[in-house]
Amino acid sequence: VQLQAYGGGLVRPGDSLRLSCVASGRIYSSHVMGWFRQAPGKEREFVAAIRWGVGTTYYADSVKGRFTISRSGAKTTAYLEMNSLKPEDTAVYYCAVAYRGLSTAENEYNRWGQGTLVTVSS
């Protein structure tokens, strides 16, 4: 499986943005798609994840209520809808797939896409 993330850009605080992660190759119901982010000078952190088959989701506390992860099985695409963006959401966002288990740990993810930069600034 190869992943490609896109949709980043420059937005103002309070704006919304939707990221997409397109998977080439088969995504199985047991797989988990996750989004991580890495802000300048910081370690990469977990943002959200979705279990592909049943759609179970999990969010980091910092984005809960503002971000929504979803997936389109037909398109093998995962989305991250980001609302009420804050300057502290500025980061490079990565999508990744885990072959087993919903996890917040990046070492549990097997394939990674390239990042897409989200900048939130007035």
Side-chain angles (χ1 to χ4, degrees), residues 37-40 86-93 117-121:
R37 66 186 181 185
Q38 186 167 23
K86 305 175 182 180
E88 51 264 42
D89 294 318
T90 295
V92 177
Y93 284 72
L117 176 63
V118 174
T119 303
V120 185
S121 175

Side-chain angles (χ1 to χ4, degrees), residues 25-118:
R26 182 77 180 269
I27 301 293
Y28 293 90
S29 60
S30 60
H31 290 171
V32 171
M33 192 74 80
W35 286 96
F36 290 76
R37 66 186 181 185
Q38 186 167 23
K42 295 188 177 181
E43 294 186 351
R44 190 156 54 185
E45 65 176 2
F46 171 80
V47 175
I50 185 167
R51 193 180 297 277
W52 200 258
V54 298
T56 307
T57 58
Y58 189 77
Y59 297 92
D61 288 342
S62 59
V63 306
K64 201 172 295 184
R66 299 188 299 122
F67 290 13
T68 302
I69 187 171
S70 61
R71 86 275 193 243
S72 169
K75 297 181 180 180
T76 60
T77 301
Y79 304 97
L80 186 68
E81 184 75 34
M82 305 184 292
N83 298 315
S84 303
L85 282 162
K86 305 175 182 180
E88 51 264 42
D89 294 318
T90 295
V92 177
Y93 284 72
Y94 299 88
C95 60
V97 62
Y99 293 155
R100 52 180 182 177
L102 197 154
S103 173
T104 63
E106 62 177 281
N107 61 2
E108 296 290 334
Y109 287 78
N110 304 95
R111 293 286 190 182
W112 291 80
Q114 90 293 352
T116 185
L117 176 63
V118 174

